[in-house]
């Protein structure tokens, strides 16, 4: 059966190709060499970037070879597939033999094998065989785990004046021969994990303003919406800076709400994501969404008095001195004034009280100026509704005197406000990551076994001397690190001499 | 005493140790190598204290973090790991002369850290992405790996410059009256099989730790960005390095490569290490970490 098997295998071209270590080396060299390309040519850039950098001809050539996304290119994946088949075929091919060594029907020691070794340690003992063999046996057992005592047969020249000479064999680490298979298995596990992640995983993004709740994110690749299956609320976001101006910490406080009930609340920072139901939420960016706790300073032109007023969005207040009514409408990120962007600020609606003597100057820059447009991002709205003399005014944060230029009876400026942030979250689902992580562990353990452990066996031959005492020869082998084994045999022999 | 004074002194101590090792080799004075070893250990102690002081100082300034976060700190740590590994090897294998090529690396790394104008030795705060215990594990293991490859590189160079026919006569040759000054110089080097074995041991050590380094880096990336592997140039180059040493191991274990050929592969591997460490910053990239 096995013989048949082997015959089939050895005639099989496929099998022979893939069990060859030469193929492994060639594929590894190709992987290393082609990986270099991807570090020299930036990956996943825009067409425009590449055409500009390499020209039309090279752009066409490179794209036809998928060089711009080469780690996902068919030929790179093919190399990985060849590598995997190589590992599998090779391991099956070798494992049959290795398995028999690891789990032999009967552990047999062959004294001739040890006698042929070049390095042996020899010493003498004044004691008789019967007196020392027990001590040596337990010593070897202590050091190797397995020790057996055998009389040396006459065939092996074991009989000396009627007393049988004795050999003590010890061994350990048979199982360490499995180490390379663990390493190779770990590589397969990682590749399987990567495939699983590629097929069933995704990466998505969402930004949530403080206080708001979402249940959907958008895939990074194509913006397709994906539902979480629960709601996620951002309670707050904060950013801290060092005195050097470098960011120190980005932190979002998130709550998962499932079926209307809060299920968990957690602070996430850059290295500490929220994990829930197979999804991981990573702190990835942030920005200013709006403002809160806005404190206005309102100056009356007539009386010179100033008033402080704290406001919420949508709130309407009566201006002191019966000046009219003011409504805070919204926060804007930019505002275009005569071709200049005045930056972040607030939009409010001010209906001035007509009964108060209203002397708006005719050439009021703000009211008549065509170029006064809000940032493109904002809806186009008439700036002024002349019928009821309601004006929409813009109050910038950076330029406190700006509203004074409007020349109205009251000037508004921002005294203080708190930023309202949105947090940008990356959402990842990767069901393959556990295969990869188990692969990582196997890889480390397997390498350790392969590099630093070996299958060692030792033989202590005790022969009676013609007169008194006996002659002792210690020798040993290992399947790896023969230099280390030599030292070990010397050490063992030295210790045995002391017993 | 602050860390930068101690580390400057350490640089000179390492320089002195290298000079002694090289001197011991050229003038065939065993005592110089012995002294060199003690000087090296002194430098190593200074190096250790310097790193610890820097760590403490960073807390005093309020930026508290382990000193493994920028080029300066990593070079100082690289010196430390190569020195530690070399001291271990010398004690374990009782071969003095092998420090000739390893100790200059220790000195060069720390000297480059202190003298290069593009490397700042300021203690800077950590950006949020670097605040992770995985960073510490990642840096330490990567540099243990690099140290293994560096020492292996030193042994490989020694292997290649030693003429083969001198091997059997080994160290006895010099006693024959030094027919040939140069040849006897090389003959002082340890026997070829010892250097071959040492190269292999160092490569295995380096490979294990590079493996752990890449893995801890992947786990860290996954905890900070949600992706354990993103083919970033630095990541890719460490993988290329890993491939090269995996090739070396297979050639040796399966194809029976030894000696000169393995020494050459080990040198190629170390070039890849250097590129991973210094060269990657020169590459174009659309994105990069940290
Ligand atoms: C990079 C991915 C790797 C691939 C594709 C690979 C592939 C192979 C193949 C095809 C063989 C020959 C078949 C066999 O003997 O089982 C082999 C053998 C071997 N590999 Fe790997 N290997 C890889 C990584 C490693 C690593 C990291 C180690 C280090 C621990 C290692 C250690 C070994 C050893 C010791 C053998 C000899 C096995 C024996 O004596 O039977 N391999 N490898």
């Amino acid at each position: 059966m096995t013989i048949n098997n082997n015959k089939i295998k050895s005639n099989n071209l496929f099998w022979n190709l893939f069990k060859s270590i030469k193929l492994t080396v060639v594929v590894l060299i190709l992987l290393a060499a082609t990986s270099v390309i991807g570090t020299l040519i930036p990956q996943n850039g825009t067409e425009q970037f590449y055409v500009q950098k390499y020209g039309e001809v090279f752009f066409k050539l490179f794209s036809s070879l998928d060089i711009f996304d080469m780690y996902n290119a068919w030929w790179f994946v093919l190399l990985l597939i060849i590598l995997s088949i190589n590992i599998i075929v090779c391991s099956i091919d070798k494992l049959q033999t290795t398995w028999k060594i690891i789990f032999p029907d009967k552990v047999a020691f062959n004294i001739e094998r040890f006698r042929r070794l070049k390095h042996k340690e020899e010493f003498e003992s004044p004691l008789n065989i019967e007196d020392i063999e027990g001590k040596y046996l337990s010593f070897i057992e202590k050091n190797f785990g397995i020790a057996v005592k055998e009389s040396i047969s006459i065939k092996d020249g074991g009989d000396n004046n009627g007393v049988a000479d004795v050999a003590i064999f010890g061994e350990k680490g048979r199982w360490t021969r499995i180490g390379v298979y663990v390493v190779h298995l770990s590589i397969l596990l990682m590749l399987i994990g990567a495939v699983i992640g590629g097929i069933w995983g995704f990466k998505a993004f969402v930004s949530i303003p403080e206080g708001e709740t979402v249940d959907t994110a958008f895939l990074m690749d194509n913006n397709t919406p994906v539902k979480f299956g629960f709601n996620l609320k951002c309670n707050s976001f904060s950013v801290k800076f060092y005195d050097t101006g470098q960011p120190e910490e980005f932190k979002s406080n998130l709550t998962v709400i499932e079926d209307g009930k809060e299920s968990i609340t957690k602070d996430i920072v850059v290295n500490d994501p929220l994990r829930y139901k197979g999804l991981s939420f990573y702190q990835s960016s942030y920005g200013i969404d709006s403002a809160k706790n806005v404190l206005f300073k309102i100056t009356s032109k007539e009386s010179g008095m100033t008033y402080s007023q704290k406001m919420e969005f949508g709130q309407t207040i009566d201006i002191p001195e019966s000046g009219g009514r003011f409504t805070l409408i919204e926060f804007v990120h930019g505002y275009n004034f005569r071709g200049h962007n005045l930056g972040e600020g607030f939009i409010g609606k001010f209906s001035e009280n007509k009964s108060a003597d209203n002397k708006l100057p005719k050439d009021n820059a703000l009211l008549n100026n065509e170029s006064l447009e809000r940032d493109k991002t904002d809806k186009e709205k008439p700036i002024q509704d002349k019928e009821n003399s309601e004006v929409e005014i813009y109050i910038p944060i950076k330029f406190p005197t700006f509203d004074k230029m409007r020349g109205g009876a009251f000037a508004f400026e921002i005294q203080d406000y708190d930023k309202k942030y949105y947090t940008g979250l990356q959402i990842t689902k990767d069901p393959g990551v556990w295969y990869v992580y188990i692969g990582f562990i196997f890889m480390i353990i397997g390498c350790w076994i392969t590099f630093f452990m070996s299958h060692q066996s030792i033989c202590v031959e005790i022969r009676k001397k013609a007169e008194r005492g006996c002659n002792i020869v210690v020798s040993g082998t290992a399947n790896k690190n023969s230099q280390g084994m030599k030292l070990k045999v010397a050490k063992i022999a030295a210790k045995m001499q002391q017993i | 005493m602050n860390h930068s004074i101690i580390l400057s002194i350490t640089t000179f101590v390492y320089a002195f140790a290298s000079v002694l090792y090289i001197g011991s080799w050229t003038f065939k004075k065993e005592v110089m190598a012995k002294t060199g070893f003690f000087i090296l250990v002194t430098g190593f102690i200074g190096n250790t204290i310097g790193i610890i002081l820097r760590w403490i100082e960073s807390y005093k300034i309020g930026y508290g973090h382990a000193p493994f976060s920028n080029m300066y700190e990593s070079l100082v740590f690289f010196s430390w790991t190569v020195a530690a590994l070399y001291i271990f090897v010398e004690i374990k294998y009782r071969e003095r002369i092998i420090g000739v090529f390893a100790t200059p690396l220790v000195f060069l790394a720390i000297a480059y850290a202190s003298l290069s104008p593009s490397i700042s030795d300021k203690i800077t705060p950590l950006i949020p992405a670097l605040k992770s215990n995985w960073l510490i594990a990642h840096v330490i293991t990567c540099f243990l790996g690099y140290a293994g490859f560096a020492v292996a590189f030193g042994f490989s160079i020694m292997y290649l410059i030693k003429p083969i026919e001198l091997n059997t006569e080994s160290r006895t040759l010099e006693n024959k009256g030094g027919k040939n000054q140069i040849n006897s110089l090389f003959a002082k080097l340890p026997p070829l099989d010892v250097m071959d074995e040492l190269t292999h041991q160092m490569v295995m050590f380096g490979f294990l730790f590079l493996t752990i380094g890449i893995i801890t880096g992947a786990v860290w990336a996954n905890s900070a960005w949600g992706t354990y592997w993103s083919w970033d140039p630095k990541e890719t180059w460490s993988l290329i390095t890993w491939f090269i040493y995996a090739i070396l191991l297979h050639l040796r274990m399966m194809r029976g490569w030894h000696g000169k050929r393995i020494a050459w592969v080990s040198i190629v591997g170390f070039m890849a290490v250097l590129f991973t460490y210094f060269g990657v910053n020169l590459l174009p990239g659309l994105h990069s970490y940290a």
Side-chain angles (χ1 to χ4, degrees), chain A residues 279-437:
Chain A
L279 296 180
S280 305
F281 298 85
Y282 296 88
Q283 182 67 59
S284 114
S285 64
Y286 77 100
I288 293 167
D289 175 60
S290 173
K292 55 190 178 190
N293 303 327
V294 192
L295 189 64
F296 283 98
K297 189 164 120 187
I298 306 168
T299 310
S300 160
K301 202 173 173 186
E302 282 263 306
S303 64
M305 291 283 284
T306 63
Y307 305 91
S308 280
Q309 177 71 44
K310 194 167 178 177
M311 289 189 76
E312 309 269 318
F313 290 102
Q315 190 188 357
T316 303
I317 54 157
D318 289 320
I319 301 290
E321 305 177 9
S322 308
R325 290 158 70 76
F326 176 71
T327 311
L328 176 57
I329 297 175
E330 63 181 338
F331 172 86
V332 289
H333 292 281
Y335 195 96
N336 194 341
F337 178 67
R338 291 180 176 166
H340 295 284
N341 188 350
L342 299 184
E344 292 163 344
F346 295 85
I347 300 288
K349 206 189 278 170
F350 182 35
S351 24
E352 244 175 314
N353 201 340
K354 285 287 176 187
S355 63
D357 58 334
N358 181 3
K359 28 196 161 165
L360 281 177
K362 277 245 168 65
D363 59 341
N364 183 311
L366 266 179
L367 295 184
N368 304 330
N369 204 304
E370 232 74 354
S371 73
L372 179 66
E373 285 162 27
R374 283 210 262 124
D375 213 33
K376 288 196 282 297
T377 53
D378 297 303
K379 303 135 260 162
E380 290 292 337
K381 270 194 211 160
I383 301 251
Q384 186 194 13
D385 192 342
K386 277 179 179 142
E387 265 91 279
N388 52 19
S389 94
E390 209 175 54
V391 281
E392 208 173 68
I393 57 175
Y394 161 69
I395 308 149
I397 290 163
K398 272 195 238 140
F399 307 101
T401 57
F402 180 76
D403 193 50
K404 218 183 208 161
M405 286 160 42
R406 184 169 49 92
F410 291 89
F412 295 82
E413 66 183 273
I414 305 296
Q415 207 163 30
D416 197 16
Y417 73 105
D418 289 332
K419 286 176 180 150
K420 186 178 161 197
Y421 291 102
Y422 69 82
T423 182
L425 303 180
Q426 182 187 314
I427 294 120
T428 309
K429 180 178 166 192
D430 187 354
V433 76
W434 294 111
Y435 294 85
V436 176
Y437 277 20

Side-chain angles (χ1 to χ4, degrees), chain A residues 98-115:
Chain A
T98 313
W99 203 254
K100 276 190 205 127
I101 301 177
I102 298 174
F103 301 107
D105 299 331
K106 178 175 164 290
V107 180
F109 292 100
N110 177 358
I111 193 155
E112 279 307 320
R113 221 182 104 228
F114 291 96
R115 284 186 179 158

Side-chain angles (χ1 to χ4, degrees), chain B residues 77-78 136-149 206 209-210 212-214 216-217 238:
Chain B
F77 185 62
F78 180 64
I136 301 177
H138 174 63
V139 173
I140 291 179
T141 48
C142 277
F143 277 86
L144 282 171
Y146 293 168
F149 296 140
F209 280 99
L210 178 65
I212 303 178
I214 293 175
T216 48
S238 61

Side-chain angles (χ1 to χ4, degrees), chain A residues 90-103:
Chain A
C90 222
S91 300
I92 294 175
D93 199 69
K94 285 270 170 65
L95 199 54
Q96 293 177 331
T97 332
T98 313
W99 203 254
K100 276 190 205 127
I101 301 177
I102 298 174
F103 301 107

Side-chain angles (χ1 to χ4, degrees), chain A residues 21 24 83 87 90 94 180 183-184 187, chain B residues 207 250 253-254:
Chain A
I21 190 83
T24 318
L83 195 70
I87 295 180
C90 222
K94 285 270 170 65
V180 283
V183 173
H184 294 154
I187 291 165
Chain B
F207 190 81
H250 284 86
M253 290 188 284
M254 300 292 294

Side-chain angles (χ1 to χ4, degrees), chain A residues 21-22 29 39-40 43 71 94 203 242-244 246-248 270-271 282 426 428 430 436-437 440 443 448, chain B residues 63 125-126 128-129 131 208 211 215 220 222-228 231 236-237 247 254-255 283-284 286:
Chain A
I21 190 83
K22 274 190 199 147
I29 290 175
T39 66
L40 296 176
Q43 297 288 295
Y71 301 109
K94 285 270 170 65
K203 266 195 207 76
Y242 292 107
D243 45 16
T244 60
Q246 275 181 299
E248 180 177 357
V270 170
N271 267 295
Y282 296 88
Q426 182 187 314
T428 309
D430 187 354
V436 176
Y437 277 20
F440 285 170
M443 167 70 79
W448 185 277
Chain B
Y63 298 153
L126 280 190
K131 284 186 189 162
L208 177 71
T211 305
I215 287 174
W220 171 33
N222 195 35
S223 79
W225 294 278
T227 318
Y228 50 82
W231 295 104
T236 309
W237 268 97
I247 292 167
M254 300 292 294
R255 308 281 309 167
L283 291 173
L286 292 177

Side-chain angles (χ1 to χ4, degrees), chain B residues 6-38:
Chain B
I6 298 219
L7 288 175
S8 308
I9 298 171
T10 300
T11 309
F12 287 103
V13 175
Y14 278 151
F16 187 39
S18 316
V19 167
L20 282 170
Y21 271 103
I22 294 168
S24 139
W25 178 46
T26 35
F27 304 120
K28 304 190 204 80
K29 292 270 189 300
E30 175 86 7
V31 64
M32 287 178 82
K34 263 188 203 159
T35 324
F37 181 72
F38 282 105

